[in-house]
Amino acid sequence: MEPSTYTGENAAEARDMDAVARFYVKCALWLGVHDPAFVDAYFGPAAVRDEALAVTVPPDRIAGYAADLLATLDRIDPDRLEESGRTRHTHLREMIRALEIRAGILGGQSLAFDAEIEALYGIAATEDDPDWYDEPHAVLDSRLPGNGDLSARYRAFMDSFVIPPERLEPAFAAAFAESRRRTTEHLPLPAGERLEISYVAGEPWEAFIRFLGDAISLVRVNADLPVTVDRALAYACHEGYPGHHTMRAIREAALVRARGWIEHSVVTLASPLATVAEGAAVLGEEMIFPGPERVRFFEEGLFPLAGFDPGNADLFDAVVTASTVLNLTGNARVARGYLGGALSRQEAYRLLQDVLLLDPEATQARLRFIEEFRAYPVALAQGYRVVRDYVGDGADRWERFVHALTEPLLPGDLTSSGSLG
């Protein structure tokens, strides 16, 4: 729509969307009180957060508020908006709809698991070949030392690449520094952007990142837990560069500050936008460390810092690649089977051990993760496939990846057209 066609009514509709977005942020913060995993980050105005958290709103009422917001959006004619306004209208609707569904579930509403996946994440759970894990198992069996039980051999191999505690700090620092350097070769980071790393003890998590706003993130690495050398790089790419920290710093500047779209100041775990964001974060490591470049960085960077023989880097990379496929696809399959009712908890436990090759402690932790985050593992796997297929392997793959990384996109935005939006 050309500027000359703007009217007072258009302006009113834009202000209506601003009001809807502001109240959506409050609803998300309210829901985060009941579901702490729902709000992954908030970097909007402190006054909005303080006003929201001054009261406690039950989930069923939040769902009702979300329905009212959707009704308000229905009264706004997208055809009267400029292109960016139409995009905002569509995406805001999907964000609110996901919040309504999640609040309803917490309020006691029942929803079939496949319907939950589609309603919250905007994707359909696809059926996989029941023998999907044969190929990665065959790769592991051919590459892992020794004979016999595959799970025991895999765990023994990975245990031999746990970073010694005294070498954890230089290994993580190098992984983040190199991933940042490679990322800046393809896209500029906002002025003042920084990521701070510290090392703690006595926490249940391996590593944790929080985006604080003003393009700043804090990373906490647990020096008590065993961390294999691949995890340093995977975490640096997925959470740091070009992953969530990069994504949030750029979107904060471009969407929240430049456009005033306050809805993007709250990052929720469950929404169709999260599906694409998570998919881009997973793909990030492949983008900046394609093919042999990850092996080279293991050989020349991380292995010497961690005290490992660089001559084992190629074998280690092959094992990690196969196990990554197992975990990404396997988590989704187990979550869908278990929460969808096709698998008992005992059967899900056995699959995690026999197929994903987890030890008993890791299996229990993975089951608890699935029970808490529900459809998220499915969205992670499907989001990765959607973004990977969209990016492709053509000459414009980096242009496409940056588009998926930095723009608020729905899964349908990437699958409905082969062109950049």
Side-chain angles (χ1 to χ4, degrees):
M1 181 178 291
E2 295 298 324
S4 60
T5 65
Y6 285 6
T7 67
E9 190 172 357
N10 301 147
E13 289 173 337
R15 285 195 295 272
D16 283 345
M17 278 207 293
D18 286 339
V20 167
R22 188 179 181 89
F23 200 76
Y24 159 77
V25 169
K26 290 184 179 181
C27 287
L29 294 172
W30 285 330
L31 192 59
V33 173
H34 305 284
D35 181 9
F38 182 74
V39 175
D40 197 36
Y42 176 71
F43 41 92
V48 174
R49 179 192 58 219
D50 294 344
E51 183 181 345
L53 298 183
V55 296
T56 300
V57 181
D60 58 343
R61 186 175 299 174
I62 297 171
Y65 287 149
D68 291 341
L69 292 177
L70 291 172
T72 300
L73 286 180
D74 283 342
R75 292 192 291 271
I76 299 175
D77 182 2
D79 291 337
R80 304 182 70 89
L81 302 171
E82 60 178 324
E83 183 178 357
S84 65
R86 291 195 297 272
T87 298
R88 185 188 190 191
H89 185 275
T90 299
H91 292 180
L92 191 53
R93 166 174 290 283
E94 293 304 311
M95 295 162 77
I96 296 170
R97 176 60 177 160
L99 182 144
E100 179 189 30
I101 294 297
R102 184 61 186 149
I105 291 172
L106 290 178
Q109 295 180 10
S110 179
L111 195 65
F113 187 67
D114 280 4
E116 178 182 337
I117 294 169
E118 188 160 4
L120 292 180
Y121 292 101
I123 44 103
T126 58
E127 290 286 350
D128 288 308
D129 182 341
D131 299 322
W132 66 270
Y133 55 85
D134 283 354
E135 184 175 346
H137 273 200
V139 172
L140 290 173
D141 190 44
S142 67
R143 302 302 297 268
L144 289 170
N147 298 295
D149 182 65
L150 185 62
S151 180
R153 290 160 57 204
Y154 169 71
R155 293 199 298 267
F157 179 84
M158 295 302 292
D159 285 347
S160 69
F161 289 96
V162 170
I163 304 172
E166 68 276 10
R167 293 177 178 265
L168 200 62
E169 184 170 350
F172 263 80
F176 274 94
E178 180 63 10
S179 64
R180 186 184 189 279
R181 184 191 70 79
R182 287 171 175 255
T183 297
T184 57
E185 292 179 346
H186 297 280
L187 72 161
L189 297 174
E193 171 275 328
R194 73 178 189 272
L195 189 151
E196 301 174 359
I197 308 175
S198 66
Y199 300 84
V200 299
E203 298 291 346
W205 32 260
E206 179 181 278
F208 178 80
I209 188 169
R210 182 174 297 281
F211 186 75
L212 302 180
D214 295 323
I216 300 169
S217 287
L218 299 180
V219 174
R220 299 289 182 262
V221 179
N222 189 349
D224 280 350
L225 292 181
V227 179
T228 53
V229 66
D230 61 298
R231 296 302 303 151
L233 185 58
Y235 200 82
C237 295
H238 185 104
E239 301 294 351
Y241 308 96
H244 291 308
H245 165 72
T246 301
M247 188 184 308
R248 289 167 189 170
I250 291 174
R251 293 184 183 189
E252 178 190 30
L255 301 178
V256 180
R257 297 189 184 279
R259 297 186 189 178
W261 292 1
I262 192 175
E263 64 269 28
H264 294 286
S265 68
V266 59
V267 180
T268 64
L269 192 71
S271 86
L273 274 72
T275 302
V276 176
E278 291 294 346
V282 174
L283 186 64
E285 185 175 357
E286 297 176 33
M287 293 298 297
I288 61 173
F289 290 97
E293 292 189 33
R294 184 171 73 166
V295 178
R296 188 178 305 116
F297 184 58
F298 281 147
E299 290 175 339
E300 300 174 359
L302 293 186
F303 270 45
L305 287 171
F308 304 136
D309 180 0
N312 292 324
D314 185 72
L315 171 61
F316 180 75
D317 184 75
V319 169
V320 167
T321 298
S323 64
T324 298
V325 172
L326 279 175
N327 278 274
L328 188 63
T329 306
N331 287 340
R333 285 186 59 82
V334 172
R336 187 184 182 211
Y338 173 37
L339 299 176
L343 298 174
S344 67
R345 197 176 197 277
Q346 183 178 6
E347 289 169 331
Y349 183 98
R350 189 164 58 250
L351 277 175
L352 291 172
Q353 278 199 317
D354 296 346
V355 175
L356 273 63
L357 312 178
L358 303 179
D359 63 32
E361 183 178 358
T363 298
Q364 288 288 2
R366 191 69 56 85
L367 271 178
R368 289 193 297 270
F369 177 86
I370 289 170
E371 290 166 342
E372 179 177 0
F373 290 92
R374 295 187 59 80
Y376 170 76
V378 181
L380 193 70
Q382 291 291 80
Y384 166 73
R385 292 189 182 101
V386 167
V387 176
R388 181 196 62 196
D389 291 347
Y390 170 76
V391 169
D393 57 5
D396 63 345
R397 66 191 309 265
W398 259 101
E399 182 183 2
R400 286 174 170 269
F401 177 68
V402 169
H403 181 65
L405 187 79
T406 59
E407 292 294 326
L409 298 170
L410 304 170
D413 295 330
L414 302 185
T415 57
S416 61
S417 172
S419 61
L420 292 174

